[in-house]
Amino acid sequence: MIEMVVHGVTLDPVSQMPIVVLRAKDNEELLLPIWIGIFEADSIVRELQKVEPPRPMTYELLKSIIQQMGGTVEKVVITDLRDSTYYAEIYIVHGTNTLVVDSRPSDAINIALRFEAPIYVEPEVLEKSKVPKPEEDEEKQQLREWLENIKPEDFEKGLS
């Protein structure tokens, strides 16, 4: 497995849908963009900026429940990519037991951030996510070029 960090959240220039961009912890060239929902993106941005909601939102509530039950999150893993859908698992440790919970990647990333747990990606997922170069249409070519040229300051725009 490859450990990843949240590089940032941005908007797809074509669809205007949010994208969370994961970057390999030890390789700044290795990126994994995952299209997510606006609410999940907002929660990731709020957590990255350490903005405390006035009342617990969904992910803060889940963190509180896990903690009050004596558990913690060990890690999350992006496990698969099938039919343009990513799959993830959250590893919750309670005593000597580990509970593996199926999850959307956006939810798993949100939980990982709140527990400061590592985010991993199976190598096969990175391989499956690559856009094939020979058969690219113009839209995919533009998106690939945009992702390859994305800079940290592009994330400062946020999701206002």
Side-chain angles (χ1 to χ4, degrees), residues 59-72:
Y59 301 110
E60 289 79 23
L61 176 63
L62 284 171
K63 178 181 179 183
S64 178
I65 291 169
I66 292 168
Q67 288 176 326
Q68 289 186 34
M69 293 179 74
T72 189

Side-chain angles (χ1 to χ4, degrees), residues 66 71-76 90-93 108 111-112 115-118:
I66 292 168
T72 189
V73 173
E74 175 186 4
K75 65 183 174 184
V76 302
I90 302 170
Y91 286 73
I92 301 172
V93 176
I111 294 295
F115 277 90
E116 298 180 6

Side-chain angles (χ1 to χ4, degrees), residues 85-112:
T85 300
Y86 287 91
Y87 293 80
E89 295 173 337
I90 302 170
Y91 286 73
I92 301 172
V93 176
H94 182 262
T96 59
N97 298 319
T98 300
L99 177 65
V100 180
V101 180
D102 182 36
S103 173
R104 299 181 307 171
S106 57
D107 294 332
I109 292 166
N110 264 296
I111 294 295

